[in-house]
Amino acid sequence: MATKEKKGGKPDQQQQQGKQQKKQAKGGEGASIIAKRGEHAGAELPVPAPRLKGYYQETVRPRLMQQFALGNPHQVPTLEKIVINVGVGEAIKNPKMLDKVVDELAVITGQRPVRKKAKKSIANFGLREGQEIGAAVTLRGARMWEFLDRFISTAIPRIRDFRGLSTRAFDGRGNYSLGVKEQMIFPEINYDMVDQIHGMDVTFVTSTTKDDQAFALLRELGMPFRGDENKPVIPTYDGQRA
């Protein structure tokens, strides 16, 4: 006669085979559900070009050539990259706070952020060299144009008591930086899922080294600067300005 297994002993082969069969059955059900859903309707269509990039090529570039009397199209200033940086000082005591910031940046930009580490130790702040204290994202190409489009048309109008962007934030080499106090201005962020409100620094890097050309470029793209005599330029992507 077969002896019974003691309590706490290993399960026999029949029990293991039964568990494997159940897992395979569950996996088959999940695969069938995915097969029923199928791919989305536009899966085989080509990815459309960013509309703000098309507006720049068709409208902004000729205006800048005429405004600055540029004969060579390669001399026209353009946007090279956008850098979004978030410093999380509380990550020294609570590393999980940085994980939340990284997830939010990924949702906002559509690109995985890079964790930034401290370059040197500061005893007064309890900071050690190599400790992660921030996150940054560098956007180029299509993602850069799409982010700028969403930032101008959707995020900036959601800023409280907005009176225009400062014109004194150029660095003298054609780059423009601004600070955002709340990540809630981006509609991609769910208010109920936010643990803590934090700001971020956004830097627009252009191909020119002159601030006046960089200012004209950003203004034509739709950036609403403070103290502008005319109303802010709002691109309508049909060759006209609103």
Side-chain angles (χ1 to χ4, degrees):
M1 297 177 65
T3 57
K4 296 182 178 179
E5 286 188 346
K6 296 181 180 180
K7 293 184 177 179
K10 295 182 178 179
D12 55 6
Q13 292 182 352
Q14 294 181 354
Q15 292 178 350
Q16 291 180 353
Q17 291 177 358
K19 290 182 179 179
Q20 291 179 357
Q21 291 176 357
K22 289 181 180 179
K23 289 181 180 179
Q24 292 176 359
K26 289 182 179 179
E29 291 177 359
S32 62
I33 292 174
I34 295 174
K36 288 180 181 179
R37 290 179 180 175
E39 297 181 352
H40 59 86
E44 298 180 357
L45 299 177
V47 179
R51 59 175 187 171
L52 190 58
K53 182 179 180 180
Y55 176 77
Y56 165 79
Q57 294 176 345
E58 297 175 3
T59 306
V60 175
R61 179 182 288 180
R63 288 177 181 168
L64 294 178
M65 290 186 64
Q66 183 179 4
Q67 180 178 353
F68 296 101
L70 301 175
N72 190 344
H74 297 286
Q75 294 178 335
V76 181
T78 184
L79 199 62
E80 289 188 344
K81 62 182 179 180
I82 298 177
V83 182
I84 302 146
N85 181 33
V86 180
V88 187
E90 297 182 1
I92 299 174
K93 299 180 180 178
N94 186 10
K96 293 183 179 179
M97 185 65 66
L98 181 59
D99 297 337
K100 190 67 176 177
V101 172
V102 169
D103 294 339
E104 291 178 353
L105 270 181
V107 172
I108 292 173
T109 61
Q111 182 172 312
R112 185 177 182 82
V114 177
R115 295 171 182 261
K116 295 297 183 179
K117 298 181 180 180
K119 296 182 179 179
K120 61 180 180 179
S121 301
I122 302 177
N124 294 336
F125 296 103
L127 182 63
R128 294 175 296 177
E129 183 180 356
Q131 193 171 7
E132 295 179 347
I133 56 172
V137 178
T138 302
L139 300 176
R140 293 182 175 90
R143 289 180 180 173
M144 174 191 69
W145 290 106
E146 290 174 354
F147 174 81
L148 180 61
D149 191 0
R150 290 185 287 111
F151 184 73
I152 294 174
S153 61
T154 306
I156 289 181
R158 292 163 61 98
I159 298 177
R160 297 181 184 179
D161 301 329
F162 179 71
R163 298 182 180 179
L165 300 176
S166 175
T167 58
R168 300 181 179 180
F170 290 91
D171 63 350
R173 292 173 291 180
N175 304 320
Y176 181 76
S177 300
L178 60 88
V180 176
K181 295 182 179 180
E182 300 178 350
Q183 79 274 30
M184 303 302 302
I185 64 174
F186 296 97
E188 295 85 2
I189 300 298
N190 186 1
Y191 184 82
D192 297 332
M193 302 298 292
V194 173
D195 295 335
Q196 184 176 1
I197 295 192
H198 62 82
M200 61 186 67
D201 298 324
V202 184
T203 302
F204 302 89
V205 181
T206 64
S207 60
T208 181
T209 57
K210 300 179 181 179
D211 288 347
D212 56 344
Q213 294 184 2
F215 171 76
L217 170 64
L218 295 177
R219 184 180 179 276
E220 290 291 338
L221 288 175
M223 296 282 280
F225 288 101
R226 186 182 309 163
D228 194 357
E229 296 180 357
N230 301 323
K231 72 175 185 177
V233 180
I234 302 175
T236 57
Y237 310 103
D238 57 354
Q240 301 294 329
R241 289 192 294 179

